[in-house]
Amino acid sequence: IDDAVFAAAAQRVPPARAVGVGSDRSAALDPALQTVVLTWAVIHADVVVLDVIRAFVEGRLVGGIRTLGLQEGAVGVTTEGLPPDVVTQIDDLIERLVAGEIPVPTTP
């Protein structure tokens, strides 16, 4: 699906930009589409699995929904290839989000 979205973005005049989701698949992307992808929203499944295993081992695992995000290191964005000033801005925004300075809606 990502490739179709990126291809559609590339066809726009001027070309649109897109954000990939799941993992950084930049290297596997068609070179013609690489300029369309601004960044990748990355899900760190390893962090989530480790959190569940630790909770189980420590006897804290209970059923239900658990939400993990930037603060827990469960998600992030790629910054490879971005200009240093943009990386600094992204890092600043992430710090502010984690610190609670930027409100994040919790309902759709």
Side-chain angles (χ1 to χ4, degrees):
I1 282 183
D2 283 348
D3 291 349
V5 171
F6 301 152
Q11 295 301 315
R12 293 190 51 145
V13 178
R17 300 293 290 220
V19 174
V21 176
S23 63
D24 184 352
R25 296 187 307 110
S26 301
L29 208 56
D30 179 334
L33 301 178
Q34 288 180 353
T35 59
V36 172
V37 181
L38 180 61
T39 188
W40 295 83
V42 179
I43 300 167
H44 299 288
D46 57 329
V47 172
V48 176
V49 171
L50 184 59
D51 182 72
V52 170
I53 292 170
R54 279 192 181 135
F56 176 77
V57 169
E58 295 170 0
R60 301 181 291 107
L61 185 63
V62 294
I65 297 173
R66 173 143 163 105
T67 303
L68 302 174
L70 284 169
Q71 187 168 3
E72 296 81 13
V75 295
V77 295
T78 60
T79 56
E80 194 172 312
L82 295 176
D85 62 318
V86 173
V87 174
T88 300
Q89 291 176 38
I90 290 170
D91 290 343
D92 179 58
L93 286 170
I94 290 172
E95 284 180 26
R96 293 176 54 208
L97 283 163
V98 169
E101 296 172 14
I102 300 173
V104 178
T106 58
T107 57

